Structures are given as structure tokens and as C-alpha cells.
Amino acid sequence: MTHIRKAVFPVAGMGTRFLPATKTIPKEMLPLVDRPLIQYAVDEARAAGIEEFIFVTAAGKGALEDYFDTAAALEQRLTANGKTSALAALEGTRMAEGALSFVRQNNPLGLGHAVRLAKRLIGNEPFAVLLPDDVIRGPQGALSQMVAAHASHRGHMVATMDVPRAATSSYGILDVDQTKGRLALARGVVEKPRPENAPSTNAIVGRYILEPSIFDRLANIGPGAGGELQLTDAISADLKSVGVTGYRFEGERFDCGSVQGFVQATVAFALDRTDLHGELSGFLDGRTKPMACAA
Ligand code: UTP
């Protein structure tokens, strides 16, 4: 049985990069092929053994709550009409009774602030944080890989991937002391360094396993990059007492918080589907061939 039972899903951000769609639809409800982003994150958490799901939400995110509720009328209609495959598609939206909690973030003061609001529901145990914007495609869920590694490497653990040096200013970057296989012991964490100042190209992406001491740190940090309470600043403050390990997960990460990343993920996940692959790849081939020159 896993020692990580609870996961926090910060979903209170405004999603301005997807306006106007996100004017009325939460970003996490945008569908990647036919499943909303949040479903990918919840499925990954379930596969890692998570039993309690804590959403940090905000005004306008009601569709997320309804999505994980039962839809009695719809289900009755599908049952009566013998639509078994449509009913089966709803399977992943069902949550065990009492497994889901919602905490409201009244002000979008940053990711660190959002995580801090889950303190009462987490209590005194290590827990996971998943950012649904980061969708990871691979043979095994990134969180499952991290939970297994955390069993023997306690302390804070962050998912990492190698990025081009020119991109370091978009990420939290680890200052690495030692590496061992997929693990990197950090001696520092720097939020969004300029490429020339970045201590490495080992970038943090949206999966974390955090020790409960993070809540004291989150209560004591001030605004960081962008004027927001940054989760990486709190992790960094705990470095000496708790330790921070980067875990270079196996898999391909898509930044679905950006339109470019979202479109790429849509194509990649659609091509993975046997029912879509053939026609879609033909369509893409036709579109991406060099255009013939006009005579
Ligand atoms: P982003 O930096 O992508 O911000 O947040 P955003 O508001 O969602 O999107 P843009 O930049 O306006 O397009 C990263 C993650 O942190 C959560 C977001 O919901 C997302 O999962 N978050 C961010 C919060 O829950 N609260 C905050 O105050 C900020």
C-alpha cells in the first residue's frame, strides 16, 4: 500500500492564455481528445494509489464539481437505451463517497498560496500535488514513478525534466548537488532564472510529493516571482532541514497551460488512439507536406 494517500489539485488559476474559452469554461475542463484535462490528472493520481482528492478552486469553476458528481438523469437515459459504451465512458468520473474535497481560493495569490489552503485537509502526512496543466504521456504515470522513489528517498520530491538552456526563465530550476539514476539531490532551487544565471537545465514540472513541513514554510514566505506566493520558494526554504530531490520521470510532458502545448498534446493523444490514428495521420501528412509551387 502506498504511503501517499492524498493529492492536491490547484485549479484556481484564471487561465488567461485560453481566453475567450476560459471566460465560462474552467481551463481544466478543456478536452484533450474527449477527456478534460482534469481527468488525466485524476487518473494519474488514482494509478499512484491516491485515495483523497483535494481541489483548490475559485469562482467560475463549478463545472469541475459537477463533472465528478453523478449525473442521474443522463445515466438512467443511457441505461434505458442500452448505451453501454457511453456509460462506460463515465466510469472515470465516479469518485468514492467522501473522496473529493473542495477548498476555495478567494484571491489568486499564486500556486504556493493555493497549496497552503489545503493544510487542514492534509494534516500531518506527506502528500502529492498535481498541476493538471502539465499532462504527461508515458508507459507509467509520473506520480506512480515518484511515489515508488519517495518510499526510499523521503523529503520533498519534485518532478523534473531537462529543458533547453534558453527556456530556463519559464521554470523553477534545480541547483544539483549529486545525481543518481533518475534522482538529483538539490542544494538549491531558483525560480525562473535567466539562461546565463541558471545553475542547471533541470526544470521542475507540475508533480510534487511534499512533506507536511511545507505548510510552515508557506506561512512564512513573501511574494516571489511575478508578485505571487511561489511554491518553489517554500520548497527552497526547506532544503536544509528536509531535503529536496528532483525525479527525472520517464515520459513526455505537454504544457497544456499554453495553446501551443495543448494543441500538440491533442495531436499526440489522438495519434495514440487506434480508432483515430489512421485517418488523422493521413490528414496531417496531407497538411504538412511542402506546398507545391504555383506554375
Ligand atoms: P498558471 O501559472 O498556469 O496560471 O498556474 P493560470 O491562471 O492557471 O493560467 P494563465 O497563466 O492565466 O493562462 C499554474 C497552476 O497553478 C494554479 C493554476 O490553476 C494551475 O493549475 N494556480 C495558480 C492556483 O490554483 N492559484 C493561483 O493563485 C495561481
Side-chain angles (χ1 to χ4, degrees), residues 185-216:
L185 195 64
R187 65 173 154 237
V189 184
V190 190
E191 186 61 30
K192 300 186 169 59
R194 294 153 66 102
E196 60 275 25
N197 300 330
S200 78
T201 51
N202 225 329
I204 300 177
V205 300
R207 302 289 182 274
Y208 309 78
I209 295 177
L210 301 173
E211 300 291 340
S213 62
I214 198 73
F215 292 116
D216 288 340

Side-chain angles (χ1 to χ4, degrees), residues 10-18 27-28 56 61 105 107-111 114 131-133 228 257:
V11 290
M14 291 184 289
T16 53
R17 284 170 286 173
F18 280 90
K27 175 173 65 174
E28 301 75 20
V56 183
K61 301 276 181 169
Q105 187 188 27
N107 257 323
L109 299 180
L111 177 59
L131 306 191
D133 293 7
E228 296 192 338

Side-chain angles (χ1 to χ4, degrees), residues 3-6 122-128 150 154-155 209-212:
H3 60 295
I4 310 292
R5 302 183 310 118
K6 300 182 182 182
I122 295 293
N124 192 30
E125 58 184 288
F127 63 101
H150 191 262
R154 297 299 172 108
I209 295 177
L210 301 173
E211 300 291 340

Side-chain angles (χ1 to χ4, degrees), residues 50-274:
I50 298 298
E51 295 161 3
E52 292 188 34
F53 303 78
I54 300 159
F55 284 33
V56 183
T57 68
K61 301 276 181 169
L64 277 164
E65 296 197 31
D66 290 344
Y67 179 77
F68 287 107
D69 204 342
T70 47
L74 172 66
E75 291 181 27
Q76 275 161 21
R77 177 75 57 95
L78 294 175
T79 309
N81 294 343
K83 303 261 186 202
T84 46
S85 61
L87 268 172
L90 295 177
E91 198 56 50
T93 69
R94 295 196 181 99
M95 285 287 190
E97 237 178 340
L100 199 57
S101 318
F102 295 89
V103 179
R104 197 86 162 190
Q105 187 188 27
N106 296 323
N107 257 323
L109 299 180
L111 177 59
H113 179 250
V115 172
R116 194 172 89 188
L117 297 176
K119 176 179 174 171
R120 205 168 38 79
L121 291 167
I122 295 293
N124 192 30
E125 58 184 288
F127 63 101
V129 176
L130 296 96
L131 306 191
D133 293 7
D134 278 333
V135 176
I136 298 171
R137 175 178 166 272
Q140 195 194 8
L143 189 64
S144 296
Q145 299 173 45
M146 291 172 70
V147 166
H150 191 262
S152 49
H153 288 84
R154 297 299 172 108
H156 300 312
M157 182 172 277
V158 295
T160 63
M161 67 179 211
D162 202 37
V163 296
R165 183 159 280 275
T168 56
S169 55
S170 302
Y171 297 90
I173 299 288
L174 291 190
D175 185 357
V176 177
D177 189 18
Q178 294 172 34
T179 55
K180 196 171 143 214
R182 295 193 169 275
L183 298 169
L185 195 64
R187 65 173 154 237
V189 184
V190 190
E191 186 61 30
K192 300 186 169 59
R194 294 153 66 102
E196 60 275 25
N197 300 330
S200 78
T201 51
N202 225 329
I204 300 177
V205 300
R207 302 289 182 274
Y208 309 78
I209 295 177
L210 301 173
E211 300 291 340
S213 62
I214 198 73
F215 292 116
D216 288 340
R217 298 299 182 182
L218 284 168
N220 288 309
I221 55 166
E228 296 192 338
L229 288 183
Q230 296 288 353
L231 181 58
T232 42
D233 289 346
I235 293 173
S236 177
D238 237 2
L239 212 118
K240 288 215 168 60
S241 48
V242 175
V244 177
T245 307
Y247 184 86
R248 195 171 41 79
F249 59 88
E250 184 186 4
E252 185 183 9
R253 173 260 192 179
F254 293 93
D255 174 12
C256 291
S258 76
V259 175
Q260 179 66 243
F262 186 88
V263 172
Q264 288 179 10
T266 302
V267 173
F269 279 89
L271 286 172
D272 282 346
R273 292 254 303 243
T274 48

